[in-house]
Amino acid sequence: MMKALSGNRSWMFALMGSACLVGAAVGMAQKEKSPEFPAVATVSDLSNVFREVSRKAMPAIVAIETVNKTSQVSGEKSLPFDDNSPFGDLFKNDPRFKEYFKQHQNQPRRAPRKMGTGSGFVINKSGLIMTNSHVVRGADVVKVILNDGREFTATDIRMDPRSDVAVIKIDAPNLTAIPMGDSSKMEIGDWVLAIGNPFGIGMSVTNGIISAKGRGPGINDREDYLQTDAAINPGNSGGPLLNLRGEVIGINTAISSRSGGYDGVGFAIPVNMARWVSGQLIDHGQVKRAFLGVGIQPISSDLSKSFDIKVGQGAIITQLMDDSPAAAAGLKTGDIILKLAGKDVTGPRNLQGIVEQLVVGKSYVMELLRDGKRINQDISMKEMPKSFSVAKDEKPLDDTKKEKQKTSVNELKIEVQPITQELAQQLGYSDSVKGVVITAVEPGSAAEEAGLMKGMIIEKIGTTEVSTMDHFNQGLKLSKDKKNVLLLVRNHSGARFVVVPK
């Protein structure tokens, strides 16, 4: 369960262990009387909190074992003893055993069953358990082991691979459920506890702090992880991350590791996201997400100067999908989404979190910054297609098939030419793509440092949309007195804004 990344670092799902569960609110313990060592009393208070949270959480923790039944393997020898066995003489001369072995010798047999383990925690006393999707995905049988030793087989399994959240059901009455907290109230530096079964050695409690928020390391489609330095190892997947009130504020999901074990960086799904996903799974059996149908980009330092907006304020539209809610509402590339449904937008992941929980079929007000002016736009939500994706594979530019018409642009140190239908197909773009294609970039130029490459399509310069060479030259002319040129460029990973200094 490991995804290799560059630099010999890997993302490892924290599988193989049992889940951690949070308990009810815990009050601070009374300070011990210690005039000689006042610090001891303070440390003891914290220790007592850890102890009480762990004690209350344990009854709600479950271990999860999964079974994958492998296919049968034929042609295997089915005799229980070979010719060299000391017991062979007891069977080979008896005609009854000879006939039995003859009949069964070439019958297929099952290969050993493959086992996997993980964690989970009870969210409803009727038998609902939350865990990671990757813990139970592909399993033929999911066995749940309660903290008191009782074992049950899951009767219903519902998963959302996009967020890596799953809810399973067991028929066990009067379970101890764990309270849910509010992950949005967690701040960097807050104490947290993780409980699980690392490496299968038994239930263990580790402590640490929230190291960062809003992480997106590229593990799942939907990410907004809490990062923690509480020790999370293989075996913790699906277990909860707890605050000091004994509430679940995250689901332990993955670790960043060079060694295969704890390296000080763990990731947990925020419980606010998990709570919404689990509600969708319980009510509908699947997650119904709304979507805008746009490609978006955060406001970087360079872009903030070009658009006269604060860094991290809003998200800029770089691409519009056909037949999408955004296209129907008349949104444009270059629009900056400032608010949606009354909530401030602070970047792509934040916007995605707002959008996915909106009601499909309902209209909402979106506040935009367009050409320096703030406007409000109504937008009606549609359900996200299951195959929603905008990325394509890169294809190289074939120099032998370039159109003869080409313009050298000395200001940007690049060469461009009109995009034709034949050239668009050759480069792997759709026939409807508009703009001019970059055919050369001067080595060491500001354009190269900004990330411009041969084969990219320039769709916009400043506020000028580009579909012909005349539009391109007009956009350059309007940017003549500016220190930087703002370009909207496209490759097969999507579109993004680039600032090129002159």
Side-chain angles (χ1 to χ4, degrees):
M1 304 297 296
M2 188 179 294
K3 260 185 171 181
L5 297 183
S6 60
N8 295 322
R9 178 172 289 275
S10 58
W11 300 109
M12 176 179 289
F13 288 120
L15 267 183
M16 211 189 124
S18 141
C20 324
L21 289 158
V22 278
V26 179
M28 290 292 287
Q30 185 177 4
K31 289 187 177 182
E32 299 177 9
K33 304 297 183 180
S34 180
E36 294 185 42
F37 301 101
V40 173
T42 303
V43 173
S44 295
D45 286 343
L46 184 59
S47 178
N48 288 333
V49 171
F50 290 166
R51 180 189 304 167
E52 191 66 11
V53 169
S54 302
R55 183 185 66 80
K56 288 181 176 290
M58 287 296 183
I61 300 171
V62 303
I64 296 175
E65 293 184 355
T66 59
V67 179
N68 299 327
K69 297 176 181 177
T70 59
S71 58
Q72 292 184 331
V73 181
S74 61
E76 296 289 334
K77 187 176 181 180
S78 59
L79 289 171
F81 306 105
D82 60 28
D83 292 336
N84 295 323
S85 170
F87 302 99
D89 291 336
L90 297 176
F91 298 95
K92 65 183 180 181
N93 294 325
D94 190 320
R96 292 172 300 176
F97 284 108
K98 278 187 175 182
E99 182 63 23
Y100 176 83
F101 291 138
K102 183 178 180 180
Q103 293 176 3
H104 293 82
Q105 185 170 5
N106 293 317
Q107 284 191 358
R109 67 176 181 86
R110 285 197 180 276
R113 296 182 300 179
K114 296 181 179 179
M115 301 288 293
T117 56
S119 303
F121 52 96
V122 180
I123 59 174
N124 187 287
K125 64 180 183 180
S126 65
L128 292 178
I129 294 168
M130 188 179 292
T131 185
N132 281 136
S133 175
H134 75 261
V135 170
V136 295
R137 184 169 53 239
D140 295 313
V141 179
V142 174
K143 184 169 69 172
V144 176
I145 305 169
L146 302 183
N147 191 58
D148 60 13
R150 289 181 293 163
E151 297 184 5
F152 298 87
T153 299
T155 57
D156 192 8
I157 302 171
R158 302 184 180 189
M159 298 177 290
D160 177 48
R162 284 186 183 272
S163 64
D164 200 11
V165 173
V167 176
I168 62 178
K169 176 75 166 62
I170 61 173
D171 293 329
N174 300 320
L175 297 178
T176 299
I178 203 161
M180 300 287 186
D182 184 350
S183 52
S184 69
K185 293 183 178 180
M186 298 302 294
E187 298 294 340
I188 296 172
D190 285 348
W191 281 100
V192 289
L193 298 183
I195 309 177
N197 185 18
F199 303 110
I201 62 175
M203 291 299 168
S204 303
V205 180
T206 57
N207 74 283
I209 62 170
I210 296 295
S211 305
K213 299 173 65 176
R215 293 298 201 202
I219 303 170
N220 296 304
D221 291 342
R222 181 67 184 95
E223 297 183 332
D224 194 19
Y225 288 115
L226 298 172
Q227 181 183 323
T228 179
D229 66 346
I232 297 174
N233 281 294
N236 286 100
S237 264
L241 192 66
L242 316 178
N243 62 21
L244 294 190
R245 289 185 295 274
E247 300 166 333
V248 179
I249 51 89
I251 305 177
N252 300 320
T253 298
I255 58 176
S256 173
S257 177
R258 291 187 178 94
S259 62
Y262 170 68
D263 274 1
V265 179
F267 297 99
I269 300 169
V271 76
N272 289 11
M273 181 196 300
R275 182 192 288 113
W276 177 78
V277 171
S278 65
Q280 292 275 304
L281 291 174
I282 293 168
D283 293 341
H284 308 294
Q286 60 181 344
V287 178
K288 296 182 178 181
R289 288 181 169 87
F291 87 120
L292 291 178
V294 296
I296 49 180
Q297 181 178 348
I299 302 298
S300 64
S301 178
D302 288 338
L303 291 178
S304 70
K305 297 172 185 176
S306 297
F307 289 98
D308 193 22
I309 194 172
K310 293 181 181 178
V311 176
Q313 182 183 4
I316 187 168
I317 297 176
T318 61
Q319 182 177 357
L320 292 169
M321 290 181 59
D322 294 335
D323 301 321
S324 66
L331 302 188
K332 300 179 179 179
T333 56
D335 285 349
I336 298 176
I337 304 174
L338 300 175
K339 287 186 178 182
L340 178 58
K343 297 181 180 179
D344 291 332
V345 175
T346 58
R349 276 194 293 275
N350 163 259
L351 176 60
Q352 189 177 7
I354 296 171
V355 170
E356 70 176 1
Q357 298 188 29
L358 298 180
V359 179
V360 173
K362 186 176 178 179
S363 292
Y364 296 89
V365 176
M366 176 181 288
E367 183 179 333
L368 300 170
L369 183 65
R370 177 182 293 171
D371 298 334
K373 298 179 181 179
R374 291 180 181 244
I375 62 172
N376 289 330
Q377 180 69 53
D378 291 333
I379 185 166
S380 181
M381 293 296 105
K382 293 182 180 180
E383 185 175 352
M384 179 187 292
K386 290 182 173 59
S387 58
F388 179 68
S389 177
V390 296
K392 296 181 180 180
D393 293 333
E394 286 282 353
K395 293 189 178 181
L397 175 65
D398 186 350
D399 291 331
T400 62
K401 295 184 178 180
K402 285 192 289 188
E403 294 292 320
K404 291 183 178 180
Q405 185 180 3
K406 182 171 62 178
T407 300
S408 176
V409 185
N410 293 325
E411 289 181 80
L412 300 182
K413 307 300 182 182
I414 62 175
E415 290 184 349
V416 298
Q417 72 175 71
I419 185 75
T420 64
Q421 184 175 358
E422 180 184 359
L423 188 55
Q425 291 177 348
Q426 175 196 335
L427 294 172
Y429 295 108
S430 67
D431 295 342
S432 60
V433 68
K434 294 181 180 179
V436 294
V437 61
I438 299 175
T439 57
V441 180
E442 183 176 308
S445 64
E448 184 183 56
E449 292 180 1
L452 297 188
M453 299 175 64
K454 182 170 67 173
M456 283 183 170
I457 305 294
I458 297 176
E459 297 183 337
K460 204 170 187 180
I461 300 183
T463 59
T464 304
E465 294 188 3
V466 175
S467 57
T468 65
M469 286 299 302
D470 288 340
H471 293 157
F472 179 78
N473 291 326
Q474 181 184 359
L476 281 179
K477 185 176 180 181
L478 293 175
S479 302
K480 184 177 181 180
D481 297 330
K482 297 182 178 181
K483 296 180 180 179
N484 302 304
V485 179
L486 181 67
L487 303 175
L488 176 63
V489 299
R490 175 181 299 279
N491 60 15
H492 297 288
S493 297
R496 62 189 175 93
F497 281 94
V498 173
V499 177
V500 182
K502 289 184 180 178

